[in-house]
Amino acid sequence: MMTKHGTRTGLALAGAFCLGFCTAFPAESRAAESPQPIASTAGLSAPSYADIADLADHAQLVLRAKVKKVAVLKPEQGAASRPGMARIYVEAVTENLLTGPAAVGEALRYLADVRLDAKGKVPKLAKQSVLLFAGHVKDRPGEIRLVAPDAQILWDPATDATLRQVLRELYGPDAPRRVTGVQEAIHVPGTLAGEGETQIFLKTDDGEPASITVLHHAGAPTHWGVSFSEIVATTGLPPKRDTLVWYRLACFLPRSLPPGANLSATDTDKTAAVSDYVKVLSDLGSCPRIRR
């Protein structure tokens, strides 16, 4: 933290900074958060894959920085987004730009919310490296705006490795688009007993096609695959956990088929479609998050 004299100076700067910037976090600032209930986080201490993907997916800038100065804002300067947290003004220097426009600059200033420690104190951040998920502030060189109040996370090698994996997938040529729901599902029985196919057509943020195909073959285990193109998946395996395809599905598919989405012809076929959707969710597993 800053010295006593430095804290006064920093708070004065923070107050001036906050006058034009305390509205940086709109009510929907957690835009990356899944609409699904957050799974239990018992035993988890570091950001999960989903936490990091939530932030990176909505960030113009992703960078590593070293904190130089911190000042805690007074309530009238800017209240934290949630109880148990404090809003701070931070001065930092860029260590490594991971993605975004190169003209980010070395010196940075921004606001962030941090969780208070067991004693109700702001943790010591000076000289620590942090990962920031942010965007530029127009006509304010050196100022950045975090994509969420808590979009500053402590750097460590494991978190860094997960982040780099997320960024490789996000900016890869075959990056799966964002899934926003289920459009419709239909089960069609096969010509032989035990055969059949369920098609689950997904809603996406850009309106482009995406679908899940669940296949039943007599005497063989049920299997399914996902496609993010007009080509329907007829083979494949569920996506590996902690990959971007897994994240798009496990963290954003609804927990049940929406009313009216099951277009199967008979009650038996409707039941089969529901059962196949449940299997997809079960194979994907939960989407744990630490961020609240």
Side-chain angles (χ1 to χ4, degrees), residues 186-198 216 264-266 268-270 272:
I186 182 169
H187 177 81
V188 178
T191 55
L192 300 177
E195 291 187 348
E197 177 180 307
T198 296
H216 300 266
S264 304
T266 67
T268 299
D269 293 341
K270 289 181 185 293

Side-chain angles (χ1 to χ4, degrees), residues 206-287:
D206 60 3
E208 291 299 311
S211 62
I212 294 170
T213 305
V214 185
L215 297 172
H216 300 266
H217 297 291
T222 300
H223 65 279
W224 63 273
V226 59
S227 171
F228 285 90
S229 71
E230 293 181 353
I231 301 175
V232 173
T234 56
T235 60
L237 297 171
K240 292 183 179 179
R241 189 175 183 85
D242 291 351
T243 61
L244 194 59
V245 174
W246 168 85
Y247 165 76
R248 296 294 193 213
L249 301 178
C251 301
F252 295 96
L253 285 177
R255 296 299 91 187
S256 60
L257 290 175
N262 194 339
L263 303 182
S264 304
T266 67
D267 288 343
T268 299
D269 293 341
K270 289 181 185 293
T271 299
V274 170
S275 177
D276 285 344
Y277 189 73
V278 170
K279 174 177 172 53
V280 167
L281 295 181
S282 177
D283 288 349
L284 288 168
S286 64
C287 175

